[in-house]
Amino acid sequence: MAILHKFLPSWLKNYPKHFLRDDLSAGIIVTILVIPQSLAYALLAGLPPQAGLYASVLPVIAYALLGSSMVQAVGPVAITAIMTFSVLSPLAAPGSPDYLALAAVLALLSGLILVACGLLRFGFLAQLLSRPVINGFLSGSAVLIVFSQLKYLLGLTPLGNAPAAILQALAEQGLHGMTPMLGLGAFVLLIFSRNTLPRLLRHAGLSEPHSAFIIRLMPLLVVLASMLAVIRFDLDQLAGVTVVGSIAIDAQAFRLISLPDGDKLSSLLMPALLMALIGMVQNISMGQALAIKRHERIDANTELLGLGAANVVAAFACGMPVGGGVSRSVINVAAGARTPLASIVSALAMIGVIAGAAPWFARLPLAALAASIIVSAATLVDFK
């Protein structure tokens, strides 16, 4: 027991018992709220939807045990998903076995780079990129995310994934059928929940914590409402609304990684380095912001070890690169998380979702997920 205690993280060695209730409730709340987001980001990355659920289990536990932030949450994130798709789609067909293998290698390479940077104490590198450069990169990524989801939101069939092809398809095909109605309806409701609902809740006399919880819950309610509409009226069968499809545990959830040939491997090295750098900056920046707000401290090098380990585990556990999620972390804090135990509880609860509830989301319309992604991506843009 003494040897085991030696390797426990410091927050767990001296865990305050009165934090337990808050961490347990926060973990369960986060699990419920990030299910649609996890599915959506996996699809955005060109991976099967269940990969997003797998990425919310072992990588989350790895970061919780090895990272230094008390409340930052790791998992599928928009920027990592869009970078994965941008890098791999020219090399293999999204969703194909080759694509899944390359995604796992990309996660492994970026994770090893982050672990190496942590061991070499390169955490200071996160301070060298200027804020305008990072904001420009994130804003550009947000634009790419929006364009990548328009075809799902509006029910278009473009000849390619480039923005010009999508705009051409919109001009030629127009908006017809139930898909754009469903997608735009979900989009309007999500915008309403972000911009107008908070003011209405304040006027109704609700306290700040209760209002924040309702607002965080809205994306889940909108997505579930769209799924119920599809089920009730058979919109996927009768109106051609595209849905997520079968979500099941399969043998590819945990796999050995086979390295690609030399050309493909070399083509992944620079993107893996870039992904590691962006992940480094985003993770440390978010961790520092949360630590300052909570009067805590983080260690940049420990953060790199934690995020790197999460990606290495993700390579074998789901094949989807992960990062420090802004929205996940905000939800975690808003739900009352005190320590990384909340993330571990969330990961364990996600196992229950995968084992029992995942098939329920098979008829989730892609249009509603696209609306959720687009609204979330808009928060990446810093207009100032």
Side-chain angles (χ1 to χ4, degrees), residues 42 63 83 87 92 121 125 198 260 279 325 343 372:
Y63 174 79
M83 288 181 69
V87 170
R121 308 192 66 78
L125 291 176
S343 291
S372 177

Side-chain angles (χ1 to χ4, degrees), residues 127-184:
Q127 309 298 325
L128 298 183
L129 287 179
S130 67
R131 181 60 57 183
V133 170
I134 297 299
N135 284 342
F137 182 85
L138 293 177
S139 299
S141 299
V143 173
L144 289 177
I145 290 170
V146 169
F147 273 105
S148 72
Q149 295 303 299
L150 281 179
K151 60 183 179 182
Y152 302 115
L153 181 78
L154 304 177
L156 303 174
T157 53
L159 297 177
N161 292 314
I166 295 171
L167 292 177
Q168 182 180 356
L170 177 60
E172 294 175 352
Q173 300 169 18
L175 301 179
H176 304 287
M178 284 301 303
T179 297
M181 291 179 60
L182 202 62
L184 292 174

Side-chain angles (χ1 to χ4, degrees), residues 200-263:
L200 295 178
L201 293 176
R202 284 196 300 270
H203 288 165
L206 263 70
S207 64
E208 190 66 30
H210 287 95
S211 297
F213 178 75
I214 292 174
I215 294 166
R216 299 291 176 199
L217 196 62
M218 282 302 295
L220 177 65
L221 295 179
V222 169
V223 169
L224 289 179
S226 67
M227 182 177 66
L228 291 176
V230 169
I231 295 172
R232 172 65 179 81
F233 300 104
D234 281 330
L235 298 180
D236 51 340
Q237 304 294 329
L238 303 178
V241 172
T242 306
V243 295
V244 168
S246 176
I247 301 176
I249 301 175
D250 53 36
Q252 293 184 343
F254 302 94
R255 63 172 72 86
L256 294 176
I257 296 178
S258 57
L259 295 179
D261 58 52
D263 290 339

Side-chain angles (χ1 to χ4, degrees), residues 30 66 89 153 314 364 381:
V30 169
L66 296 176
S89 56
L153 181 78
L364 194 62
V381 180

